[in-house]
Amino acid sequence: MKIQTTVLTTLALVAGLAVTTVSFAQFAKTEDAIKYRQSALTVMGTHFGRLAGMARGAIPYDAAKAQESARIAATVGHLPWEGFVANSFAAPAKVKGDIGANMADFKALQEKAEAELDKLPGAAGNLDSLKAQVGATGGACKNCHDKYRQTN
Amino acid sequence: MKIQTTVLTTLALVAGLAVTTVSFAQFAKTEDAIKYRQSALTVMGTHFGRLAGMARGAIPYDAAKAQESARIAATVGHLPWEGFVANSFAAPAKVKGDIGANMADFKALQEKAEAELDKLPGAAGNLDSLKAQVGATGGACKNCHDKYRQTN
């Protein structure tokens, strides 16, 4: 048992993972929560950006690629939110306003965005339906960004 | 059509996405590819870290949480690799050695890691099988990190 723990600890160290006991929190440090949510939003945004590019004609429409990006955007779109933990809204967070004091409003906007992201895979197989759904999903993202995202 | 394009462009701007024409490349800029792969690795590593924490007893084992993190680690574990594009191995990349000149070797290690990540969901329902698979998956990550990851 001891050997196995040592091996796993070594692997975790090599993998660059925090080896401190995380106790029962999802994130050991506030910075980890911020980095996690920003990373998930980057992955999601990359794939949503490809769909938006196809929708506006900047990227040639390809049904298979659109469906793949839609699937990834929808899947990863459920992840960022657990990173919005208490006391994680000051720098280096890129937050406007006080999400902590408006969590119910934030959560409603988040859930609307998740619901619209979930509709992307069903819409991506056809350029017209993709355009419509990119508009609806982008609008749901924008509703939250307008209130809570620091623009720079 | 023009109006729709304008709306989509505005949405993309609001969402913080690059509005420059991406033409046919997956990433508009090398930095975008680096940020994307680092973000995907952060999301994947966060969930693998939770599994490793359960495996070594630092986090209480919970089958549902383990299966959820295993599913996310396996899914997101397929994403980083397209970000390892040509000429993306200098700073701010955290790369050791020359991945570009050893792409076949890198790809073999990557595919082995993906295969071991894919085994996590099937193993996560039981602590003993999770421990074994965390060891195997972590070992596959380590094989690549040892050769190609800048440790600092």
Side-chain angles (χ1 to χ4, degrees):
Chain A
M1 288 294 280
K2 187 166 188 312
I3 291 169
Q4 186 165 31
T5 300
T6 305
V7 169
L8 291 172
T9 302
T10 305
L11 287 172
L13 272 170
V14 167
L17 303 165
V19 182
T20 49
T21 298
V22 191
S23 71
F24 305 93
Q26 294 281 48
F27 297 100
K29 294 179 295 185
T30 302
E31 306 89 276
D32 294 345
I34 295 171
K35 185 178 177 187
Y36 175 79
R37 74 195 190 206
Q38 290 179 342
S39 295
L41 287 163
T42 291
V43 173
M44 189 263 279
T46 298
H47 288 279
F48 182 71
R50 291 178 187 173
L51 298 174
M54 291 185 199
R56 70 174 182 273
I59 302 174
Y61 175 70
D62 177 305
K65 286 184 183 172
Q67 286 170 313
E68 174 72 355
S69 277
R71 186 186 64 78
I72 296 168
T75 302
V76 178
H78 291 291
L79 304 183
W81 320 111
E82 70 159 316
F84 287 85
V85 298
N87 304 316
S88 68
F89 307 115
K94 295 173 183 168
V95 169
K96 179 171 71 179
D98 187 349
I99 292 178
N102 296 283
M103 193 47 90
D105 181 56
F106 179 82
K107 197 169 164 55
L109 293 170
Q110 159 207 325
E111 287 173 355
K112 176 67 177 161
E114 286 181 272
E116 294 296 341
L117 283 160
D118 276 338
K119 294 177 190 167
L120 286 169
N126 172 282
L127 182 55
D128 286 333
S129 57
L130 176 65
K131 281 182 183 176
Q133 190 55 46
V134 162
T137 304
C141 295
K142 181 180 183 303
N143 286 342
C144 195
H145 290 173
D146 283 352
K147 289 178 91 165
Y148 296 117
R149 190 190 201 212
Q150 199 182 94
T151 45
N152 132 9
Chain B
M1 288 295 279
K2 188 167 190 306
I3 291 169
Q4 184 164 34
T5 300
T6 305
V7 169
L8 291 171
T9 302
T10 305
L11 288 172
L13 272 170
V14 167
L17 302 165
V19 182
T20 49
T21 297
V22 190
S23 70
F24 306 92
Q26 294 281 48
F27 298 99
K29 295 179 295 184
T30 302
E31 306 90 277
D32 294 344
I34 295 171
K35 185 179 177 187
Y36 175 78
R37 74 196 191 207
Q38 289 178 342
S39 295
L41 287 163
T42 291
V43 173
M44 189 264 278
T46 298
H47 289 280
F48 183 71
R50 291 177 187 174
L51 297 174
M54 290 185 199
R56 69 174 184 273
I59 301 173
Y61 174 69
D62 176 305
K65 288 183 182 173
Q67 284 169 316
E68 174 71 356
S69 276
R71 185 186 65 78
I72 297 168
T75 301
V76 178
H78 291 291
L79 304 184
W81 319 111
E82 70 159 314
F84 287 85
V85 297
N87 303 315
S88 68
F89 307 116
K94 295 174 184 169
V95 169
K96 180 171 70 178
D98 187 349
I99 292 178
N102 296 284
M103 194 46 88
D105 182 54
F106 179 82
K107 197 169 163 53
L109 294 171
Q110 160 208 325
E111 288 173 354
K112 176 68 177 162
E114 287 181 272
E116 294 297 341
L117 282 160
D118 277 338
K119 294 178 190 167
L120 285 169
N126 171 283
L127 182 55
D128 285 334
S129 56
L130 176 65
K131 281 183 183 176
Q133 191 54 47
V134 162
T137 304
C141 295
K142 182 180 184 303
N143 285 342
C144 195
H145 290 173
D146 284 352
K147 288 178 92 165
Y148 296 116
R149 190 189 202 214
Q150 200 182 93
T151 45
N152 180 334

